[in-house]
Amino acid sequence: MRLAGSMMVSVLALMATPTFAQEVPATPPAPGNATTPAAPDTAPSTGKDIVVTARRLDDARAHIQPSLGATSYTITNATIQALPGGDDQQFNQIILQLPGVVQDGFGQFHVRDDHNGLQYRINGTVLPDGLAVFGQTLSPRLIEKFALLTGALPAQYGLRSAGIIDITTKSGFDNGGSISIYGGSHGTIEPSFSLGGSTGATNYFVSGDFRHDALGIEGVDGRSNPIHDKTDQYQGFLYVDHILDEGNRVSFVGGYSNQTFQISNPSGQHPDGTFNVNGVTDFLSDNLNERQIEQTGFGQVSLLHDAEPLTIQGSLFARYSSLRYRPDVLGELLFNGQAQNAYKQDFTVGAQADAVLHVGAAHTLRGGFLVTRDRSVSTTSTSVFLLDDGGSQIGQPVVIPDNGRKTAMSYSVYLQDEWAFAPTLTLNYGGRFDIFDGYRDEKQFSPRANLVWQPDTKLTAHAGYARYFVPPPFELVGNSSITQFQGTSAQANSLVNTTPFAERQNYYDVGFQYKLSRYFTYGVDAYYRQSVNLIDEGQFGAPIILTPFNYAKGRIGGVEANASYTRGGWLLYANFAAAKAKGSDIVSSQFSFSPDDLAYIANHYIYLDHDQTYTGSAGASYAIKHGMLADTKIGGSMIYGSGLRADGAVPNGAKLDGYAQFNLTASHRFAKPGLTVRFDVINVGDHVYEIRDGSGIGVGAPEFGPRRGFFVGLSKAFGAGAKDVG
């Protein structure tokens, strides 16, 4: 109750002061009103007809799975361009501008205090989970718009329920594109290109980029240029669609990324002399040479059929990802007593179908299925020391191999009805059934219900309940044998290693959006979640590979507020969230924890390590449309966090200091040559702040936010796309 009171005070304080707002949830379609008209009888014969047909099919696809009472926040490509960094920034930095999204180390972020639990969809098709920890597989360049859906989700969304990141890709109708170069502080250099166009009834968009900088992941000591932290990243993306006729379109989406990271080194540290390798007992931490390589490739083929009152999209998809950790064998043996060369590979294939059927004026039925096959391979070789009964080293290091592979299957089906039972009230109710057969065989039926009230064009209010079933991330579940490390320097805390369980949740959500005028909108959303076998993840070794584990019970609650103002050249937004997340009794992967921590958590609720009480973001952008400075944009953004958890008198019992990071941007488009110049400043105040201090349940090493950086970009448009630059 104390938390709820403080949350409401914070929200009321926010709404009583001038605010800037992110783009906010769009209201749902008017009850019983189909958004896709009946197809004409003749095939398109002109370029204009093809464009109109393509846009109508886009609307039909979007109508298959609208938000229907879930909380939804949308960002368009225009907003991305207005943010510092534009589409040269990492995708996760854009998502941090949304309500309730918490920044973490390794480029991770958390939605509503859930550790992971995110599902990515591209043009409505699920993108399966991958292994990447640091890598941002999806480039902002491919995005026309994306929405973060959270709260009490409709029945079509399952298996990952903390948030749905629903991406609509660019597609080319005008023949043209751009080439650009971006770079500056931290040795950053990022060339890129994009090209879109059409020929007949076929449209395409392709993009690619390369990024090199000396701040690949967060530094461990707050330096502006951390020791040994370079990265090289390659990314490519392709979209192609072909309109078969007025009611049918086939499309392909594919992408690939290859990213290499050095692991940042602490400075001036030496091992304690416990171990020696051929007489060597000392090693300067500055000289450690640890690396991680992450590769991801994905592809999906979809067929969209629209024949009012029925619309169907069927898809086949595949995703490959691999992660390789290369240790500094000598250094890690002397510091940690072990050095693990690790390689993990995951390959997923699947099929998905979703359909919408309009049944009269009051009912819209939606249903579908999802089937996936996931194959995971793990290969490790760990250098360790044998120990005697007193814990002293025996001889020189030995290598222990540990390999495994496993296949998982998942099956999901859902059905729901959007029932407009009154002019201002719409009830979306339904359910889904999920079966997951991996390291465990688990299943659940999950009912869902959302009520949306729209008394006028200004107010949209919703209340919802969802039952969730969330399997642990299969590709991260360890299958190593801990017994073979007994009697070595890699010996586990215990031999108890219960396989992680699926999490089961009861989720409640209520909120509203109010359009005070055609320029200003604000909203508030509150949620509460009860979990059994709450899933969390931690780093428990030198390889930056996360391991899932469960708390027997979990409870997470919070309040979010958002506001936005758009008028003329102005775009302003602000978001604020207050949350609390706790769990008790660790019931899986117990060998990773100390006996003292396990004993305390067994009988007490503790804060989750990624809990952050207060989170905020804000931004402002102004586009000058007239005069000598026409086609100039200036703006800024900020993120605020009250601090993640750290160990105190009890596990996760303390928190780090709060921080605020401010960024600035300015750009100008020279229309005649089709050239855009931009200048960005990241962390204007050069504020040194810690994201992690290296303590806490499942926390690996200290991590600091980026120091101040200055960046310049040049982009040259060509073809018809030149008119859209800037």
Side-chain angles (χ1 to χ4, degrees):
M1 293 302 295
R2 290 194 299 269
L3 174 67
S6 66
M7 288 177 180
M8 292 308 299
V9 170
S10 302
V11 171
L12 292 172
L14 172 73
M15 297 175 63
T17 58
T19 56
F20 309 97
Q22 180 61 346
E23 296 184 44
V24 295
T27 57
N33 182 25
T35 61
T36 54
D41 294 331
T42 58
S45 59
T46 68
K48 183 177 180 180
D49 289 338
I50 291 171
V51 170
V52 171
T53 300
R55 290 175 178 169
R56 183 179 60 77
L57 291 173
D58 286 343
D59 291 340
R61 181 182 64 200
H63 191 54
I64 293 175
Q65 40 193 22
S67 58
L68 295 172
T71 303
S72 175
Y73 304 105
T74 299
I75 291 184
T76 66
N77 181 261
T79 303
I80 292 174
Q81 297 300 331
L83 292 171
D87 56 16
D88 292 296
Q89 64 188 306
Q90 300 286 291
F91 189 31
N92 65 317
Q93 296 301 312
I94 300 171
I95 295 176
L96 289 177
Q97 294 298 315
L98 294 173
V101 180
V102 175
Q103 178 180 217
D104 201 346
F106 302 148
Q108 296 180 96
F109 57 89
H110 310 291
V111 175
R112 292 190 168 184
D113 268 4
D114 198 294
H115 186 272
N116 194 339
L118 298 171
Q119 182 181 100
Y120 291 81
R121 291 185 173 221
I122 299 180
N123 295 338
T125 299
V126 170
L127 181 63
D129 294 341
L131 289 163
V133 178
F134 315 121
Q136 298 294 317
T137 303
L138 300 173
S139 167
R141 290 184 182 84
L142 66 89
I143 297 171
E144 180 62 32
K145 65 178 180 179
F146 77 91
L148 170 63
L149 279 66
T150 187
L153 299 170
Q156 65 257 54
Y157 302 110
L159 302 181
R160 297 288 175 263
S161 54
I164 308 297
I165 298 175
D166 191 10
I167 297 168
T168 300
T169 62
K170 295 178 180 177
S171 60
F173 298 115
D174 294 322
N175 294 308
S178 68
I179 56 174
S180 65
I181 185 75
Y182 186 79
S185 299
H186 316 303
T188 301
I189 184 74
E190 184 175 354
S192 64
F193 78 93
S194 64
L195 178 66
S198 62
T199 174
T202 300
N203 306 288
Y204 64 89
F205 175 81
V206 60
S207 69
D209 60 76
F210 165 75
R211 182 183 182 93
H212 169 86
D213 67 47
L215 189 61
I217 56 177
E218 292 81 7
V220 297
D221 54 12
R223 294 168 178 251
S224 180
N225 290 293
I227 301 171
H228 194 264
D229 200 16
K230 294 179 181 179
T231 182
D232 290 311
Q233 304 178 26
Y234 302 85
Q235 295 184 117
F237 172 80
L238 172 65
Y239 170 87
V240 180
D241 73 51
H242 180 73
I243 297 174
L244 302 173
D245 54 43
E246 289 85 350
N248 295 279
R249 179 176 65 188
V250 63
S251 61
F252 171 80
V253 175
Y256 176 75
S257 67
N258 188 331
Q259 303 172 323
T260 302
F261 300 88
Q262 295 178 332
I263 308 301
S264 178
N265 295 342
S267 177
Q269 297 184 15
H270 296 267
D272 61 11
T274 299
F275 303 107
N276 81 81
V277 179
N278 296 320
V280 177
T281 59
D282 193 26
F283 195 103
L284 181 62
S285 60
D286 301 50
N287 298 327
L288 287 166
N289 184 22
E290 302 160 317
R291 299 171 183 266
Q292 191 147 304
I293 303 164
E294 300 177 357
Q295 296 177 317
T296 299
F298 67 90
Q300 53 186 234
V301 178
S302 299
L303 176 63
L304 177 67
H305 172 70
D306 179 40
E308 190 65 28
L310 176 67
T311 303
I312 302 174
Q313 177 168 279
S315 305
L316 300 175
F317 57 84
R319 176 166 181 164
Y320 167 86
S321 65
S322 68
L323 183 155
R324 184 182 297 276
Y325 175 79
R326 293 176 174 169
D328 185 310
V329 177
L330 176 60
E332 290 187 32
L333 279 169
L334 294 177
F335 275 101
N336 305 324
Q338 59 177 298
Q340 184 177 92
N341 193 317
Y343 176 74
K344 293 181 75 72
Q345 172 186 299
D346 188 78
F347 182 65
T348 303
V349 294
Q352 177 183 346
D354 300 277
V356 56
L357 175 66
H358 300 113
V359 185
H363 292 274
T364 300
L365 298 179
R366 293 178 174 88
F369 70 85
L370 173 68
V371 178
T372 64
R373 179 185 186 275
D374 203 332
R375 179 67 169 172
S376 179
V377 176
S378 176
T379 302
T380 66
S381 57
T382 307
S383 298
V384 297
F385 297 100
L386 299 178
L387 304 179
D388 62 21
D389 292 340
S392 297
Q393 173 183 338
I394 302 174
Q396 291 304 299
V398 297
V399 177
I400 299 177
D402 192 5
N403 305 323
R405 58 191 63 215
K406 183 71 173 177
T407 300
M409 295 292 299
S410 69
Y411 311 88
S412 303
V413 62
Y414 73 90
L415 180 66
Q416 60 190 5
D417 176 25
E418 180 185 353
W419 177 24
F421 64 91
T424 61
L425 287 170
T426 301
L427 175 66
N428 187 72
Y429 64 98
R432 64 180 292 125
F433 186 69
D434 298 290
I435 299 173
F436 184 79
D437 183 8
Y439 287 96
R440 289 183 179 275
D441 184 1
E442 298 183 90
K443 59 183 70 69
Q444 179 176 288
F445 172 73
S446 304
R448 312 283 178 87
N450 267 297
L451 183 65
V452 179
W453 179 48
Q454 288 182 281
D456 51 40
T457 58
K458 293 184 177 181
L459 175 64
T460 300
H462 69 270
Y465 165 79
R467 177 73 171 162
Y468 289 138
F469 172 77
V470 184
F474 170 76
E475 70 281 358
L476 297 179
V477 175
N479 54 12
S480 60
S481 173
I482 58 177
T483 58
Q484 63 183 324
F485 293 99
Q486 288 299 103
T488 75
S489 50
Q491 179 172 308
N493 293 311
S494 75
L495 295 179
V496 182
N497 183 20
T498 305
T499 301
F501 302 88
E503 181 177 352
R504 303 168 191 269
Q505 305 173 11
N506 290 313
Y507 200 111
Y508 308 90
D509 184 273
V510 60
F512 72 89
Q513 289 291 138
Y514 190 77
K515 195 172 183 65
L516 188 64
S517 71
R518 62 184 204 171
Y519 309 114
F520 179 66
T521 304
Y522 66 92
V524 176
D525 199 90
Y527 61 92
Y528 182 69
R529 166 181 143 196
Q530 299 168 309
S531 294
V532 175
N533 294 325
L534 182 148
I535 295 174
D536 202 348
E537 297 174 7
Q539 181 202 347
F540 298 105
I544 316 298
I545 300 173
L546 301 181
T547 299
F549 62 94
N550 298 96
Y551 291 92
K553 296 180 181 179
R555 54 194 188 201
I556 297 176
V559 177
E560 298 169 352
N562 63 82
S564 66
Y565 179 86
T566 305
R567 185 175 187 179
W570 284 104
L571 166 65
L572 306 105
Y573 65 88
N575 307 301
F576 179 81
K580 177 181 284 189
K582 287 188 169 185
S584 70
D585 192 11
I586 294 174
V587 292
S588 66
S589 304
Q590 297 93 331
F591 72 97
S592 300
F593 304 90
S594 72
D596 289 344
D597 283 350
L598 285 175
Y600 181 85
I601 300 169
N603 298 300
H604 299 83
Y605 273 93
I606 66 166
Y607 286 100
L608 305 186
D609 70 278
H610 52 271
D611 170 85
Q612 182 165 268
T613 304
Y614 302 113
T615 304
S617 61
S621 174
Y622 181 68
I624 302 173
K625 299 182 179 180
H626 306 286
M628 293 180 60
L629 295 178
D631 292 328
T632 297
K633 295 179 181 178
I634 56 175
S637 66
M638 65 85 69
I639 56 173
Y640 163 77
S642 62
L644 296 175
R645 309 304 302 188
D647 280 341
V650 300
N652 296 343
K655 75 175 189 66
L656 301 180
D657 293 336
Y659 63 87
Q661 177 185 309
F662 294 86
N663 313 307
L664 294 175
T665 185
S667 66
H668 181 76
R669 173 194 172 202
F670 297 91
K672 191 171 182 179
L675 182 68
T676 299
V677 180
R678 72 178 302 131
F679 178 65
D680 301 311
V681 185
I682 304 301
N683 194 354
V684 174
D686 199 23
H687 179 47
V688 181
Y689 65 92
E690 252 184 330
I691 301 174
R692 294 288 194 180
D693 72 351
S695 72
I697 297 296
V699 178
E703 294 170 271
F704 285 76
R707 297 288 297 276
R708 181 167 53 211
F710 300 92
F711 303 91
V712 176
L714 296 173
S715 180
K716 174 68 172 70
F718 55 86
K723 65 184 179 184
D724 298 323
V725 174

